[in-house]
Amino acid sequence: MIDNAVEEAEKTDEKEIVVSVEETEKGIQVSVENSSRPIAETELTSMFDLGSSTKGERRGIGLFKVKKYCLEYGAQIVVEADRHREPMFFIIRILLK
């Protein structure tokens, strides 16, 4: 997730990444936020699919593995695109109960 955040943030002027781990009343939450180019809704819904990549061939494995491990351990994944920020921010949150 962090590699993807770095690659995406490098495409923006701000190049901002925020990684956090916190304990909430619902469990442990891991969040990765990064500045981003505009992302289409179709890209948001397919980014965890095996082979899904905007970066070329032989890619699209990392987020697929994140999803696989989250399913294996019963974690919830939430993906958001905060379009109200400038630049847009892309956020992945994982909640492990």
Side-chain angles (χ1 to χ4, degrees), residues 49-66:
D49 295 346
L50 181 60
S52 177
S53 178
T54 60
K55 300 172 191 95
E57 295 181 28
R58 301 179 55 119
R59 304 282 306 239
I61 298 170
L63 290 179
F64 171 77
K65 286 184 176 182
V66 168

Side-chain angles (χ1 to χ4, degrees), residues 38-50:
I39 296 176
E41 289 298 320
T42 54
E43 195 176 333
L44 288 175
T45 58
S46 67
M47 67 178 38
F48 289 92
D49 295 346
L50 181 60

Side-chain angles (χ1 to χ4, degrees), residues 12-52:
T12 68
D13 292 337
E14 289 73 12
K15 298 174 183 18
E16 187 173 347
I17 300 171
V18 178
V19 178
S20 64
V21 178
E22 61 184 304
E23 187 172 1
T24 70
E25 54 197 41
K26 295 181 180 181
I28 303 295
Q29 180 174 278
V30 177
S31 298
V32 178
E33 305 179 34
N34 60 277
S35 54
S36 175
R37 63 184 165 73
I39 296 176
E41 289 298 320
T42 54
E43 195 176 333
L44 288 175
T45 58
S46 67
M47 67 178 38
F48 289 92
D49 295 346
L50 181 60
S52 177

